[in-house]
């Protein structure tokens, strides 16, 4: 997954305890100091990096300081989006929204001021008080997404940011952390979340995953890990994400749901819920993908059934046309009712 050969780092990040911990695990690795983690000419805006899209994710790491600490409301997957401990990822999913804003290279950027991030989240949780009423995010706890722009399971290969956040939520009885992942990291099983962290394993038909989920854990491995994570104290949900419409998609999603029903033990099914997320794409990412993985665009870029949309974060993207999307969601609900009726849909978008 990672073979770090080059680190770009803000000086303050290198001087921090977390930065020193990370560099102690990378002896002899070349370090280039930069003024800011968003302004690295060798990475960002350099279209020559398209051909090294995956290689950069393997051998490059960025260390920065997260200066803007804000928690914003969400109301869909989570009640709140917390300031994340990272940006970017070592995996290379062809539909990922994060690189749309970074430009031609998207390795992991780790934020080393984790103490400030944790303290901010703790203050925010305590300011909310108890949750007044149930909602689609959770019936009792305020849910904070801690991994909006990265994958916390992969971050944990490099440093203790994920462990620190899991430990913080363990001490917050009115809230729980939440993050989606496509990587099975057994080290997370030792973090003792005590029910205060929700892991959402993203799943899709295996054929789609082989084409689109580059460098991720195989989907059957993600599904098989659910019981272990539940037994280790996590709440375990699933993201049916993204749903990509192409010939045979209904048959393949039915096969996936049958597999979930066959292999998951009753204790996982009893507490599971799902998010259904239809594919959202982007013109700039489409053009980048054509440079390193054009086969993915055969299924991701379908102008005849897609339309432009302004996303919640202000970005201009493309999604399936409304009627197409509504029909697909209705059909997926039928497949769930037929093959995995225990899997409650918590959120569909």
């Amino acid at each position: 997954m990672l073979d770090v050969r080059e680190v770009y780092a803000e000086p303050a990040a290198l001087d921090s305890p977390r930065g020193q911990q990370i560099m102690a695990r990378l002896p002899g690795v070349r370090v280039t100091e930069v003024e800011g983690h968003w302004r690295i000419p060798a990475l960002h805006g350099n279209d020559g990096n398209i051909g090294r899209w995956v290689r950069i994710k393997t051998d490059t790491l960025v260390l920065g300081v997260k200066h803007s600490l804000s928690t914003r409301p969400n109301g869909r997957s989570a009640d709140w989006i917390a300031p994340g401990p990272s940006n970017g990822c070592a995996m290379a999913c062809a539909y990922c929204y994060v690189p749309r804003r970074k430009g031609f290279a998207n390795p992991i950027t780790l934020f080393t001021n984790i103490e400030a991030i944790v303290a901010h989240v703790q203050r925010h949780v305590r300011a909310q008080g108890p949750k007044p009423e149930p909602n689609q995010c959770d019936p009792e706890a305020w849910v904070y997404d801690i991994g909006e722009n990265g994958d916390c399971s992969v971050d944990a290969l490099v440093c203790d940011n994920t462990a620190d956040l899991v430990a913080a939520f363990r001490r917050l009885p009115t809230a729980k952390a939440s993050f989606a992942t496509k990587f099975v990291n057994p080290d997370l099983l030792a973090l003792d979340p005590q029910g205060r962290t929700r892991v959402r394993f993203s799943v899709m038909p295996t054929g789609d995953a082989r084409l689109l989920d580059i460098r991720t854990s195989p989907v059957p491995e993600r599904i098989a890990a659910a019981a272990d994570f539940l037994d280790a104290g996590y709440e375990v949900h699933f993201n049916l994400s993204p749903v990509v419409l192409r010939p045979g998609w209904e048959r393949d999603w039915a096969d996936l749901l049958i597999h979930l029903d066959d292999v998951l033990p009753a204790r996982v099914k009893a507490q599971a819920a799902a998010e259904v997320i239809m594919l959202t794409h982007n013109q700039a990412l489409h053009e980048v993908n054509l440079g390193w993985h054009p086969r993915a665009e055969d299924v991701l870029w379908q102008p005849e059934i897609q339309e432009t949309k302004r996303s919640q974060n202000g970005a201009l993207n493309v999604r399936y046309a409304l009627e197409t999307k509504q029909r697909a969601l209705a059909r997926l609900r039928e497949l769930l009712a037929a093959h995995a009726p225990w899997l409650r849909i918590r959120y569909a978008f």
Side-chain angles (χ1 to χ4, degrees), residues 237-258:
H237 285 190
F238 296 96
N239 280 11
L240 311 184
S241 168
V243 179
V244 178
L245 304 184
R246 40 79 182 167
W249 75 268
E250 296 174 58
R251 176 198 63 234
D252 291 344
W253 275 97
D255 290 344
L256 174 65
L257 296 174
I258 291 169

Side-chain angles (χ1 to χ4, degrees), residues 93-96 100 182 202-205 208-209 212-213 222 239-246 249 253 256 275-281 299-300 320 332 349:
C93 300
Y95 47 82
C96 180
R100 297 172 191 168
K182 301 183 187 75
S202 293
V203 297
M204 63 170 65
D208 287 341
L212 305 174
D213 277 5
R222 303 177 211 171
N239 280 11
L240 311 184
S241 168
V243 179
V244 178
L245 304 184
R246 40 79 182 167
W249 75 268
W253 275 97
L256 174 65
E275 299 177 19
V276 179
I277 304 173
M278 304 294 293
L279 172 71
T280 297
H281 202 26
V299 297
L300 297 179
Y320 295 121
L332 194 56
F349 176 66

Side-chain angles (χ1 to χ4, degrees), residues 36-54:
H37 61 86
W38 275 101
R39 298 188 191 92
I40 306 175
L43 294 179
H44 305 143
N46 178 3
D47 60 5
N49 284 326
I50 292 177
R52 299 183 61 245
W53 186 259
V54 173

Side-chain angles (χ1 to χ4, degrees), residues 73 88 217 232 236 243 262 344:
S217 297
V236 178
V243 179
D262 286 344
R344 172 176 59 91

